[in-house]
Amino acid sequence: MSETQTPPGQEAHEPSCEAKFHRVARSGQVPEGYVRRFYVGELECAVARLEGRAYATSNYCTHLDCLLSSGKLVDDGLGCSCHGSVFDLETGEPVSPPATEPIAVYPVREEDGEIFVGVSEADIAHGGPRRRKPRQD
């Protein structure tokens, strides 16, 4: 049996696309104008606060996988510290090069002084872990 076939009697499990909210931080851990790194399971997120609102995105720039949580917030969005790409916090679209591909964005709720990020099983399967890719020998 090949590695891609499902054993008899077992169904392949497709990751769910239904978002579930997970507590990632206290609201005070992400002050105005800052971006921080948090995890939802294996999924690494950049959580930022701009103009009083919290945002959550993938933590990796689509240009060369630099950590966006090491970047800075600018007027246009989230700036990557490596090569200056900027991403819109609401849509994930690049607004300044060199990145040309969007980053993932996740819904955020703040309740009772806590930040919750909505991610699905599919988000987790697709988005993490990035820096620990298995070797293809």
Side-chain angles (χ1 to χ4, degrees), residues 17 19 21 43-48 53-60 62 68 77-78 87-94 101-108 117-120 123-124 126-127:
C17 291
F21 282 85
L43 180 67
E44 196 170 332
C45 298
V47 179
R53 182 173 167 200
Y55 297 89
T57 70
S58 163
N59 196 32
Y60 293 97
T62 55
L68 293 173
L78 177 55
F87 298 91
D88 183 283
L89 286 167
E90 290 186 20
T91 66
E93 291 294 324
E101 297 294 319
I103 57 173
V105 295
Y106 308 107
V108 175
V117 175
V119 298
S120 68
D123 291 329
I124 293 170
H126 176 71

PDB file of all heavy atoms in Angstrom, residues 17 19 21 43-48 53-60 62 68 77-78 87-94 101-108 117-120 123-124 126-127:
ATOM      1  N   CYS A  17     -12.698  23.018   8.197  1.00  0.00           N
ATOM      2  CA  CYS A  17     -12.516  24.436   7.875  1.00  0.00           C
ATOM      3  C   CYS A  17     -13.292  25.326   8.846  1.00  0.00           C
ATOM      4  O   CYS A  17     -13.287  26.542   8.697  1.00  0.00           O
ATOM      5  CB  CYS A  17     -12.955  24.709   6.441  1.00  0.00           C
ATOM      6  SG  CYS A  17     -11.851  23.964   5.224  1.00  0.00           S
ATOM      7  N   ALA A  19     -13.845  27.430  11.934  1.00  0.00           N
ATOM      8  CA  ALA A  19     -12.956  28.140  12.864  1.00  0.00           C
ATOM      9  C   ALA A  19     -13.466  28.001  14.291  1.00  0.00           C
ATOM     10  O   ALA A  19     -14.655  28.128  14.554  1.00  0.00           O
ATOM     11  CB  ALA A  19     -12.850  29.607  12.483  1.00  0.00           C
ATOM     12  N   PHE A  21     -12.439  29.467  18.246  1.00  0.00           N
ATOM     13  CA  PHE A  21     -11.653  30.508  18.895  1.00  0.00           C
ATOM     14  C   PHE A  21     -10.851  29.935  20.056  1.00  0.00           C
ATOM     15  O   PHE A  21     -11.361  29.164  20.857  1.00  0.00           O
ATOM     16  CB  PHE A  21     -12.563  31.649  19.360  1.00  0.00           C
ATOM     17  CG  PHE A  21     -12.964  32.550  18.227  1.00  0.00           C
ATOM     18  CD1 PHE A  21     -14.046  32.235  17.431  1.00  0.00           C
ATOM     19  CD2 PHE A  21     -12.232  33.692  17.944  1.00  0.00           C
ATOM     20  CE1 PHE A  21     -14.403  33.048  16.371  1.00  0.00           C
ATOM     21  CE2 PHE A  21     -12.579  34.512  16.885  1.00  0.00           C
ATOM     22  CZ  PHE A  21     -13.668  34.197  16.095  1.00  0.00           C
ATOM     23  N   LEU A  43       0.256  26.179  15.151  1.00  0.00           N
ATOM     24  CA  LEU A  43       0.131  27.365  14.305  1.00  0.00           C
ATOM     25  C   LEU A  43       0.717  28.582  14.999  1.00  0.00           C
ATOM     26  O   LEU A  43       0.314  28.944  16.096  1.00  0.00           O
ATOM     27  CB  LEU A  43      -1.333  27.624  13.960  1.00  0.00           C
ATOM     28  CG  LEU A  43      -1.607  28.836  13.087  1.00  0.00           C
ATOM     29  CD1 LEU A  43      -1.031  28.631  11.690  1.00  0.00           C
ATOM     30  CD2 LEU A  43      -3.087  29.100  13.013  1.00  0.00           C
ATOM     31  N   GLU A  44       1.668  29.206  14.340  1.00  0.00           N
ATOM     32  CA  GLU A  44       2.326  30.390  14.867  1.00  0.00           C
ATOM     33  C   GLU A  44       1.645  31.624  14.292  1.00  0.00           C
ATOM     34  O   GLU A  44       1.521  31.757  13.074  1.00  0.00           O
ATOM     35  CB  GLU A  44       3.796  30.350  14.438  1.00  0.00           C
ATOM     36  CG  GLU A  44       4.688  31.253  15.188  1.00  0.00           C
ATOM     37  CD  GLU A  44       6.147  30.980  14.868  1.00  0.00           C
ATOM     38  OE1 GLU A  44       6.504  29.830  14.518  1.00  0.00           O
ATOM     39  OE2 GLU A  44       6.918  31.933  14.959  1.00  0.00           O
ATOM     40  N   CYS A  45       1.190  32.518  15.176  1.00  0.00           N
ATOM     41  CA  CYS A  45       0.458  33.713  14.761  1.00  0.00           C
ATOM     42  C   CYS A  45       1.204  34.977  15.168  1.00  0.00           C
ATOM     43  O   CYS A  45       1.889  35.001  16.189  1.00  0.00           O
ATOM     44  CB  CYS A  45      -0.904  33.778  15.440  1.00  0.00           C
ATOM     45  SG  CYS A  45      -2.011  32.452  15.056  1.00  0.00           S
ATOM     46  N   ALA A  46       1.019  36.019  14.387  1.00  0.00           N
ATOM     47  CA  ALA A  46       1.435  37.362  14.770  1.00  0.00           C
ATOM     48  C   ALA A  46       0.163  38.085  15.193  1.00  0.00           C
ATOM     49  O   ALA A  46      -0.797  38.149  14.423  1.00  0.00           O
ATOM     50  CB  ALA A  46       2.097  38.079  13.600  1.00  0.00           C
ATOM     51  N   VAL A  47       0.133  38.577  16.421  1.00  0.00           N
ATOM     52  CA  VAL A  47      -1.025  39.314  16.923  1.00  0.00           C
ATOM     53  C   VAL A  47      -0.588  40.755  17.138  1.00  0.00           C
ATOM     54  O   VAL A  47       0.413  41.010  17.808  1.00  0.00           O
ATOM     55  CB  VAL A  47      -1.577  38.693  18.219  1.00  0.00           C
ATOM     56  CG1 VAL A  47      -2.765  39.490  18.734  1.00  0.00           C
ATOM     57  CG2 VAL A  47      -1.983  37.235  17.983  1.00  0.00           C
ATOM     58  N   ALA A  48      -1.322  41.681  16.531  1.00  0.00           N
ATOM     59  CA  ALA A  48      -0.957  43.092  16.562  1.00  0.00           C
ATOM     60  C   ALA A  48      -2.141  43.921  17.031  1.00  0.00           C
ATOM     61  O   ALA A  48      -3.294  43.497  16.931  1.00  0.00           O
ATOM     62  CB  ALA A  48      -0.537  43.541  15.161  1.00  0.00           C
ATOM     63  N   ARG A  53      -7.574  48.161  17.848  1.00  0.00           N
ATOM     64  CA  ARG A  53      -8.129  46.876  17.411  1.00  0.00           C
ATOM     65  C   ARG A  53      -7.027  45.822  17.318  1.00  0.00           C
ATOM     66  O   ARG A  53      -5.933  46.097  16.832  1.00  0.00           O
ATOM     67  CB  ARG A  53      -8.799  47.051  16.055  1.00  0.00           C
ATOM     68  CG  ARG A  53      -9.439  45.796  15.542  1.00  0.00           C
ATOM     69  CD  ARG A  53     -10.227  46.046  14.295  1.00  0.00           C
ATOM     70  NE  ARG A  53     -10.554  44.760  13.698  1.00  0.00           N
ATOM     71  CZ  ARG A  53     -10.901  44.597  12.439  1.00  0.00           C
ATOM     72  NH1 ARG A  53     -11.004  45.629  11.636  1.00  0.00           N
ATOM     73  NH2 ARG A  53     -11.180  43.406  11.974  1.00  0.00           N
ATOM     74  N   ALA A  54      -7.336  44.607  17.770  1.00  0.00           N
ATOM     75  CA  ALA A  54      -6.394  43.489  17.671  1.00  0.00           C
ATOM     76  C   ALA A  54      -6.604  42.754  16.347  1.00  0.00           C
ATOM     77  O   ALA A  54      -7.735  42.580  15.892  1.00  0.00           O
ATOM     78  CB  ALA A  54      -6.574  42.535  18.843  1.00  0.00           C
ATOM     79  N   TYR A  55      -5.484  42.327  15.752  1.00  0.00           N
ATOM     80  CA  TYR A  55      -5.480  41.580  14.497  1.00  0.00           C
ATOM     81  C   TYR A  55      -4.605  40.349  14.669  1.00  0.00           C
ATOM     82  O   TYR A  55      -3.640  40.372  15.431  1.00  0.00           O
ATOM     83  CB  TYR A  55      -4.883  42.423  13.365  1.00  0.00           C
ATOM     84  CG  TYR A  55      -5.653  43.666  13.031  1.00  0.00           C
ATOM     85  CD1 TYR A  55      -5.390  44.863  13.693  1.00  0.00           C
ATOM     86  CD2 TYR A  55      -6.633  43.661  12.052  1.00  0.00           C
ATOM     87  CE1 TYR A  55      -6.093  46.020  13.387  1.00  0.00           C
ATOM     88  CE2 TYR A  55      -7.338  44.812  11.739  1.00  0.00           C
ATOM     89  CZ  TYR A  55      -7.065  45.989  12.410  1.00  0.00           C
ATOM     90  OH  TYR A  55      -7.759  47.126  12.100  1.00  0.00           O
ATOM     91  N   ALA A  56      -4.898  39.291  13.916  1.00  0.00           N
ATOM     92  CA  ALA A  56      -4.062  38.088  13.934  1.00  0.00           C
ATOM     93  C   ALA A  56      -3.795  37.654  12.501  1.00  0.00           C
ATOM     94  O   ALA A  56      -4.702  37.617  11.667  1.00  0.00           O
ATOM     95  CB  ALA A  56      -4.735  36.967  14.705  1.00  0.00           C
ATOM     96  N   THR A  57      -2.536  37.333  12.242  1.00  0.00           N
ATOM     97  CA  THR A  57      -2.123  36.884  10.916  1.00  0.00           C
ATOM     98  C   THR A  57      -1.154  35.713  11.073  1.00  0.00           C
ATOM     99  O   THR A  57      -0.686  35.415  12.163  1.00  0.00           O
ATOM    100  CB  THR A  57      -1.385  37.999  10.133  1.00  0.00           C
ATOM    101  OG1 THR A  57      -0.105  38.225  10.732  1.00  0.00           O
ATOM    102  CG2 THR A  57      -2.188  39.288  10.090  1.00  0.00           C
ATOM    103  N   SER A  58      -0.820  35.118   9.942  1.00  0.00           N
ATOM    104  CA  SER A  58       0.289  34.176   9.908  1.00  0.00           C
ATOM    105  C   SER A  58       1.520  34.922  10.394  1.00  0.00           C
ATOM    106  O   SER A  58       1.626  36.141  10.228  1.00  0.00           O
ATOM    107  CB  SER A  58       0.500  33.707   8.472  1.00  0.00           C
ATOM    108  OG  SER A  58       1.761  33.122   8.322  1.00  0.00           O
ATOM    109  N   ASN A  59       2.479  34.211  10.969  1.00  0.00           N
ATOM    110  CA  ASN A  59       3.678  34.878  11.466  1.00  0.00           C
ATOM    111  C   ASN A  59       4.817  34.874  10.460  1.00  0.00           C
ATOM    112  O   ASN A  59       5.912  35.316  10.764  1.00  0.00           O
ATOM    113  CB  ASN A  59       4.148  34.242  12.777  1.00  0.00           C
ATOM    114  CG  ASN A  59       5.139  35.116  13.516  1.00  0.00           C
ATOM    115  OD1 ASN A  59       5.073  36.342  13.446  1.00  0.00           O
ATOM    116  ND2 ASN A  59       6.060  34.498  14.211  1.00  0.00           N
ATOM    117  N   TYR A  60       4.581  34.384   9.243  1.00  0.00           N
ATOM    118  CA  TYR A  60       5.659  34.287   8.264  1.00  0.00           C
ATOM    119  C   TYR A  60       5.375  35.111   7.017  1.00  0.00           C
ATOM    120  O   TYR A  60       4.319  34.986   6.411  1.00  0.00           O
ATOM    121  CB  TYR A  60       5.889  32.827   7.864  1.00  0.00           C
ATOM    122  CG  TYR A  60       6.436  32.017   9.009  1.00  0.00           C
ATOM    123  CD1 TYR A  60       5.605  31.252   9.797  1.00  0.00           C
ATOM    124  CD2 TYR A  60       7.786  32.075   9.322  1.00  0.00           C
ATOM    125  CE1 TYR A  60       6.109  30.532  10.870  1.00  0.00           C
ATOM    126  CE2 TYR A  60       8.295  31.365  10.389  1.00  0.00           C
ATOM    127  CZ  TYR A  60       7.454  30.592  11.152  1.00  0.00           C
ATOM    128  OH  TYR A  60       7.963  29.885  12.220  1.00  0.00           O
ATOM    129  N   THR A  62       5.454  36.057   3.234  1.00  0.00           N
ATOM    130  CA  THR A  62       5.394  35.197   2.051  1.00  0.00           C
ATOM    131  C   THR A  62       6.560  35.440   1.099  1.00  0.00           C
ATOM    132  O   THR A  62       6.729  34.698   0.138  1.00  0.00           O
ATOM    133  CB  THR A  62       4.065  35.401   1.290  1.00  0.00           C
ATOM    134  OG1 THR A  62       3.917  36.793   0.986  1.00  0.00           O
ATOM    135  CG2 THR A  62       2.886  34.926   2.126  1.00  0.00           C
ATOM    136  N   LEU A  68       7.078  37.791  11.012  1.00  0.00           N
ATOM    137  CA  LEU A  68       6.390  39.078  11.017  1.00  0.00           C
ATOM    138  C   LEU A  68       6.290  39.658  12.422  1.00  0.00           C
ATOM    139  O   LEU A  68       6.190  40.866  12.587  1.00  0.00           O
ATOM    140  CB  LEU A  68       5.010  38.936  10.378  1.00  0.00           C
ATOM    141  CG  LEU A  68       5.041  38.619   8.887  1.00  0.00           C
ATOM    142  CD1 LEU A  68       3.643  38.316   8.372  1.00  0.00           C
ATOM    143  CD2 LEU A  68       5.678  39.754   8.103  1.00  0.00           C
ATOM    144  N   GLY A  77      -0.068  48.913   7.562  1.00  0.00           N
ATOM    145  CA  GLY A  77      -0.281  47.566   8.076  1.00  0.00           C
ATOM    146  C   GLY A  77       0.919  47.022   8.801  1.00  0.00           C
ATOM    147  O   GLY A  77       1.622  47.733   9.512  1.00  0.00           O
ATOM    148  N   LEU A  78       1.185  45.738   8.580  1.00  0.00           N
ATOM    149  CA  LEU A  78       2.252  45.018   9.262  1.00  0.00           C
ATOM    150  C   LEU A  78       3.475  44.937   8.355  1.00  0.00           C
ATOM    151  O   LEU A  78       3.422  44.364   7.268  1.00  0.00           O
ATOM    152  CB  LEU A  78       1.765  43.612   9.618  1.00  0.00           C
ATOM    153  CG  LEU A  78       2.739  42.654  10.287  1.00  0.00           C
ATOM    154  CD1 LEU A  78       3.335  43.253  11.560  1.00  0.00           C
ATOM    155  CD2 LEU A  78       2.040  41.342  10.599  1.00  0.00           C
ATOM    156  N   PHE A  87       1.946  44.252   4.822  1.00  0.00           N
ATOM    157  CA  PHE A  87       0.712  43.513   4.573  1.00  0.00           C
ATOM    158  C   PHE A  87      -0.458  44.211   5.239  1.00  0.00           C
ATOM    159  O   PHE A  87      -0.349  44.675   6.378  1.00  0.00           O
ATOM    160  CB  PHE A  87       0.826  42.087   5.128  1.00  0.00           C
ATOM    161  CG  PHE A  87       1.910  41.287   4.466  1.00  0.00           C
ATOM    162  CD1 PHE A  87       3.197  41.277   4.988  1.00  0.00           C
ATOM    163  CD2 PHE A  87       1.651  40.564   3.318  1.00  0.00           C
ATOM    164  CE1 PHE A  87       4.200  40.546   4.385  1.00  0.00           C
ATOM    165  CE2 PHE A  87       2.653  39.831   2.702  1.00  0.00           C
ATOM    166  CZ  PHE A  87       3.935  39.824   3.236  1.00  0.00           C
ATOM    167  N   ASP A  88      -1.589  44.256   4.543  1.00  0.00           N
ATOM    168  CA  ASP A  88      -2.816  44.800   5.113  1.00  0.00           C
ATOM    169  C   ASP A  88      -3.274  43.873   6.233  1.00  0.00           C
ATOM    170  O   ASP A  88      -3.380  42.657   6.032  1.00  0.00           O
ATOM    171  CB  ASP A  88      -3.886  44.890   4.012  1.00  0.00           C
ATOM    172  CG  ASP A  88      -5.170  45.507   4.495  1.00  0.00           C
ATOM    173  OD1 ASP A  88      -5.947  44.803   5.183  1.00  0.00           O
ATOM    174  OD2 ASP A  88      -5.404  46.688   4.191  1.00  0.00           O
ATOM    175  N   LEU A  89      -3.547  44.421   7.404  1.00  0.00           N
ATOM    176  CA  LEU A  89      -3.934  43.602   8.558  1.00  0.00           C
ATOM    177  C   LEU A  89      -5.311  42.965   8.427  1.00  0.00           C
ATOM    178  O   LEU A  89      -5.569  41.933   9.034  1.00  0.00           O
ATOM    179  CB  LEU A  89      -3.878  44.445   9.832  1.00  0.00           C
ATOM    180  CG  LEU A  89      -2.481  44.756  10.343  1.00  0.00           C
ATOM    181  CD1 LEU A  89      -2.522  45.853  11.398  1.00  0.00           C
ATOM    182  CD2 LEU A  89      -1.831  43.505  10.899  1.00  0.00           C
ATOM    183  N   GLU A  90      -6.198  43.561   7.657  1.00  0.00           N
ATOM    184  CA  GLU A  90      -7.546  43.011   7.510  1.00  0.00           C
ATOM    185  C   GLU A  90      -7.635  41.938   6.439  1.00  0.00           C
ATOM    186  O   GLU A  90      -8.347  40.954   6.593  1.00  0.00           O
ATOM    187  CB  GLU A  90      -8.541  44.127   7.212  1.00  0.00           C
ATOM    188  CG  GLU A  90      -8.769  45.027   8.415  1.00  0.00           C
ATOM    189  CD  GLU A  90      -9.860  46.042   8.176  1.00  0.00           C
ATOM    190  OE1 GLU A  90     -10.695  45.843   7.268  1.00  0.00           O
ATOM    191  OE2 GLU A  90      -9.885  47.029   8.922  1.00  0.00           O
ATOM    192  N   THR A  91      -6.912  42.114   5.335  1.00  0.00           N
ATOM    193  CA  THR A  91      -7.035  41.180   4.208  1.00  0.00           C
ATOM    194  C   THR A  91      -5.826  40.276   4.027  1.00  0.00           C
ATOM    195  O   THR A  91      -5.923  39.254   3.350  1.00  0.00           O
ATOM    196  CB  THR A  91      -7.228  41.957   2.887  1.00  0.00           C
ATOM    197  OG1 THR A  91      -6.029  42.702   2.609  1.00  0.00           O
ATOM    198  CG2 THR A  91      -8.428  42.890   2.968  1.00  0.00           C
ATOM    199  N   GLY A  92      -4.665  40.677   4.563  1.00  0.00           N
ATOM    200  CA  GLY A  92      -3.437  39.929   4.358  1.00  0.00           C
ATOM    201  C   GLY A  92      -2.742  40.239   3.046  1.00  0.00           C
ATOM    202  O   GLY A  92      -1.649  39.752   2.783  1.00  0.00           O
ATOM    203  N   GLU A  93      -3.363  41.059   2.217  1.00  0.00           N
ATOM    204  CA  GLU A  93      -2.775  41.390   0.913  1.00  0.00           C
ATOM    205  C   GLU A  93      -1.511  42.221   1.086  1.00  0.00           C
ATOM    206  O   GLU A  93      -1.453  43.107   1.942  1.00  0.00           O
ATOM    207  CB  GLU A  93      -3.781  42.170   0.055  1.00  0.00           C
ATOM    208  CG  GLU A  93      -4.961  41.349  -0.410  1.00  0.00           C
ATOM    209  CD  GLU A  93      -4.577  40.245  -1.375  1.00  0.00           C
ATOM    210  OE1 GLU A  93      -3.660  40.436  -2.206  1.00  0.00           O
ATOM    211  OE2 GLU A  93      -5.207  39.173  -1.302  1.00  0.00           O
ATOM    212  N   PRO A  94      -0.491  41.973   0.255  1.00  0.00           N
ATOM    213  CA  PRO A  94       0.711  42.809   0.315  1.00  0.00           C
ATOM    214  C   PRO A  94       0.404  44.196  -0.250  1.00  0.00           C
ATOM    215  O   PRO A  94      -0.229  44.307  -1.291  1.00  0.00           O
ATOM    216  CB  PRO A  94       1.717  42.060  -0.558  1.00  0.00           C
ATOM    217  CG  PRO A  94       0.895  41.212  -1.461  1.00  0.00           C
ATOM    218  CD  PRO A  94      -0.379  40.899  -0.737  1.00  0.00           C
ATOM    219  N   GLU A 101       2.541  37.688  -2.546  1.00  0.00           N
ATOM    220  CA  GLU A 101       1.490  36.771  -2.108  1.00  0.00           C
ATOM    221  C   GLU A 101       0.945  37.227  -0.756  1.00  0.00           C
ATOM    222  O   GLU A 101       1.708  37.680   0.096  1.00  0.00           O
ATOM    223  CB  GLU A 101       2.029  35.346  -1.972  1.00  0.00           C
ATOM    224  CG  GLU A 101       2.512  34.740  -3.275  1.00  0.00           C
ATOM    225  CD  GLU A 101       1.385  34.526  -4.265  1.00  0.00           C
ATOM    226  OE1 GLU A 101       0.290  34.084  -3.840  1.00  0.00           O
ATOM    227  OE2 GLU A 101       1.589  34.801  -5.453  1.00  0.00           O
ATOM    228  N   PRO A 102      -0.357  37.071  -0.514  1.00  0.00           N
ATOM    229  CA  PRO A 102      -0.932  37.477   0.774  1.00  0.00           C
ATOM    230  C   PRO A 102      -0.540  36.529   1.904  1.00  0.00           C
ATOM    231  O   PRO A 102      -0.157  35.383   1.659  1.00  0.00           O
ATOM    232  CB  PRO A 102      -2.439  37.425   0.528  1.00  0.00           C
ATOM    233  CG  PRO A 102      -2.612  36.443  -0.582  1.00  0.00           C
ATOM    234  CD  PRO A 102      -1.371  36.552  -1.434  1.00  0.00           C
ATOM    235  N   ILE A 103      -0.641  37.029   3.124  1.00  0.00           N
ATOM    236  CA  ILE A 103      -0.483  36.197   4.317  1.00  0.00           C
ATOM    237  C   ILE A 103      -1.878  35.801   4.801  1.00  0.00           C
ATOM    238  O   ILE A 103      -2.870  36.437   4.441  1.00  0.00           O
ATOM    239  CB  ILE A 103       0.288  36.941   5.439  1.00  0.00           C
ATOM    240  CG1 ILE A 103      -0.414  38.245   5.813  1.00  0.00           C
ATOM    241  CG2 ILE A 103       1.734  37.154   5.048  1.00  0.00           C
ATOM    242  CD1 ILE A 103       0.170  38.960   7.026  1.00  0.00           C
ATOM    243  N   ALA A 104      -1.954  34.755   5.600  1.00  0.00           N
ATOM    244  CA  ALA A 104      -3.236  34.343   6.174  1.00  0.00           C
ATOM    245  C   ALA A 104      -3.639  35.323   7.272  1.00  0.00           C
ATOM    246  O   ALA A 104      -2.792  35.819   8.015  1.00  0.00           O
ATOM    247  CB  ALA A 104      -3.120  32.935   6.753  1.00  0.00           C
ATOM    248  N   VAL A 105      -4.927  35.622   7.353  1.00  0.00           N
ATOM    249  CA  VAL A 105      -5.465  36.429   8.442  1.00  0.00           C
ATOM    250  C   VAL A 105      -6.521  35.603   9.164  1.00  0.00           C
ATOM    251  O   VAL A 105      -7.182  34.755   8.564  1.00  0.00           O
ATOM    252  CB  VAL A 105      -6.058  37.767   7.957  1.00  0.00           C
ATOM    253  CG1 VAL A 105      -4.986  38.668   7.375  1.00  0.00           C
ATOM    254  CG2 VAL A 105      -7.160  37.549   6.942  1.00  0.00           C
ATOM    255  N   TYR A 106      -6.650  35.839  10.467  1.00  0.00           N
ATOM    256  CA  TYR A 106      -7.561  35.069  11.298  1.00  0.00           C
ATOM    257  C   TYR A 106      -8.466  36.018  12.067  1.00  0.00           C
ATOM    258  O   TYR A 106      -8.029  37.103  12.472  1.00  0.00           O
ATOM    259  CB  TYR A 106      -6.777  34.197  12.289  1.00  0.00           C
ATOM    260  CG  TYR A 106      -5.715  33.363  11.614  1.00  0.00           C
ATOM    261  CD1 TYR A 106      -4.366  33.674  11.744  1.00  0.00           C
ATOM    262  CD2 TYR A 106      -6.060  32.278  10.814  1.00  0.00           C
ATOM    263  CE1 TYR A 106      -3.386  32.929  11.114  1.00  0.00           C
ATOM    264  CE2 TYR A 106      -5.088  31.528  10.178  1.00  0.00           C
ATOM    265  CZ  TYR A 106      -3.759  31.858  10.332  1.00  0.00           C
ATOM    266  OH  TYR A 106      -2.792  31.112   9.692  1.00  0.00           O
ATOM    267  N   PRO A 107      -9.722  35.617  12.302  1.00  0.00           N
ATOM    268  CA  PRO A 107     -10.619  36.479  13.072  1.00  0.00           C
ATOM    269  C   PRO A 107     -10.174  36.565  14.532  1.00  0.00           C
ATOM    270  O   PRO A 107      -9.598  35.612  15.078  1.00  0.00           O
ATOM    271  CB  PRO A 107     -11.982  35.779  12.956  1.00  0.00           C
ATOM    272  CG  PRO A 107     -11.675  34.365  12.607  1.00  0.00           C
ATOM    273  CD  PRO A 107     -10.371  34.375  11.864  1.00  0.00           C
ATOM    274  N   VAL A 108     -10.425  37.711  15.138  1.00  0.00           N
ATOM    275  CA  VAL A 108     -10.027  37.960  16.528  1.00  0.00           C
ATOM    276  C   VAL A 108     -11.228  38.461  17.306  1.00  0.00           C
ATOM    277  O   VAL A 108     -12.018  39.269  16.809  1.00  0.00           O
ATOM    278  CB  VAL A 108      -8.895  39.021  16.593  1.00  0.00           C
ATOM    279  CG1 VAL A 108      -8.567  39.384  18.030  1.00  0.00           C
ATOM    280  CG2 VAL A 108      -7.655  38.523  15.883  1.00  0.00           C
ATOM    281  N   VAL A 117      -8.200  33.989  19.094  1.00  0.00           N
ATOM    282  CA  VAL A 117      -7.975  33.920  17.652  1.00  0.00           C
ATOM    283  C   VAL A 117      -8.743  32.720  17.108  1.00  0.00           C
ATOM    284  O   VAL A 117      -8.659  31.616  17.650  1.00  0.00           O
ATOM    285  CB  VAL A 117      -6.467  33.798  17.332  1.00  0.00           C
ATOM    286  CG1 VAL A 117      -6.237  33.604  15.837  1.00  0.00           C
ATOM    287  CG2 VAL A 117      -5.721  35.031  17.831  1.00  0.00           C
ATOM    288  N   GLY A 118      -9.475  32.940  16.019  1.00  0.00           N
ATOM    289  CA  GLY A 118     -10.256  31.888  15.386  1.00  0.00           C
ATOM    290  C   GLY A 118      -9.477  31.189  14.293  1.00  0.00           C
ATOM    291  O   GLY A 118      -9.106  31.822  13.306  1.00  0.00           O
ATOM    292  N   VAL A 119      -9.221  29.914  14.501  1.00  0.00           N
ATOM    293  CA  VAL A 119      -8.522  29.116  13.487  1.00  0.00           C
ATOM    294  C   VAL A 119      -9.225  27.775  13.335  1.00  0.00           C
ATOM    295  O   VAL A 119      -9.884  27.293  14.246  1.00  0.00           O
ATOM    296  CB  VAL A 119      -7.024  28.896  13.820  1.00  0.00           C
ATOM    297  CG1 VAL A 119      -6.279  30.218  13.886  1.00  0.00           C
ATOM    298  CG2 VAL A 119      -6.846  28.132  15.091  1.00  0.00           C
ATOM    299  N   SER A 120      -9.052  27.196  12.174  1.00  0.00           N
ATOM    300  CA  SER A 120      -9.634  25.880  11.896  1.00  0.00           C
ATOM    301  C   SER A 120      -8.536  24.827  11.893  1.00  0.00           C
ATOM    302  O   SER A 120      -7.345  25.149  11.888  1.00  0.00           O
ATOM    303  CB  SER A 120     -10.328  25.908  10.530  1.00  0.00           C
ATOM    304  OG  SER A 120      -9.362  26.048   9.505  1.00  0.00           O
ATOM    305  N   ASP A 123      -6.447  25.483   8.929  1.00  0.00           N
ATOM    306  CA  ASP A 123      -5.454  26.549   9.145  1.00  0.00           C
ATOM    307  C   ASP A 123      -4.220  25.992   9.841  1.00  0.00           C
ATOM    308  O   ASP A 123      -3.087  26.284   9.453  1.00  0.00           O
ATOM    309  CB  ASP A 123      -6.032  27.672  10.021  1.00  0.00           C
ATOM    310  CG  ASP A 123      -7.112  28.476   9.342  1.00  0.00           C
ATOM    311  OD1 ASP A 123      -7.079  28.624   8.104  1.00  0.00           O
ATOM    312  OD2 ASP A 123      -8.005  28.970  10.067  1.00  0.00           O
ATOM    313  N   ILE A 124      -4.445  25.194  10.873  1.00  0.00           N
ATOM    314  CA  ILE A 124      -3.335  24.630  11.644  1.00  0.00           C
ATOM    315  C   ILE A 124      -2.518  23.672  10.767  1.00  0.00           C
ATOM    316  O   ILE A 124      -1.289  23.714  10.767  1.00  0.00           O
ATOM    317  CB  ILE A 124      -3.837  23.948  12.924  1.00  0.00           C
ATOM    318  CG1 ILE A 124      -4.412  25.014  13.877  1.00  0.00           C
ATOM    319  CG2 ILE A 124      -2.726  23.156  13.603  1.00  0.00           C
ATOM    320  CD1 ILE A 124      -5.157  24.468  15.070  1.00  0.00           C
ATOM    321  N   HIS A 126      -2.226  23.704   7.526  1.00  0.00           N
ATOM    322  CA  HIS A 126      -1.552  24.445   6.457  1.00  0.00           C
ATOM    323  C   HIS A 126      -0.467  25.379   6.983  1.00  0.00           C
ATOM    324  O   HIS A 126       0.568  25.560   6.350  1.00  0.00           O
ATOM    325  CB  HIS A 126      -2.572  25.262   5.666  1.00  0.00           C
ATOM    326  CG  HIS A 126      -1.963  26.132   4.622  1.00  0.00           C
ATOM    327  ND1 HIS A 126      -1.404  25.639   3.469  1.00  0.00           N
ATOM    328  CD2 HIS A 126      -1.797  27.476   4.558  1.00  0.00           C
ATOM    329  CE1 HIS A 126      -0.928  26.634   2.747  1.00  0.00           C
ATOM    330  NE2 HIS A 126      -1.154  27.756   3.377  1.00  0.00           N
ATOM    331  N   GLY A 127      -0.679  25.959   8.171  1.00  0.00           N
ATOM    332  CA  GLY A 127       0.192  27.026   8.628  1.00  0.00           C
ATOM    333  C   GLY A 127       1.305  26.669   9.572  1.00  0.00           C
ATOM    334  O   GLY A 127       2.142  27.503   9.884  1.00  0.00           O
TER     335      GLY A 127
END
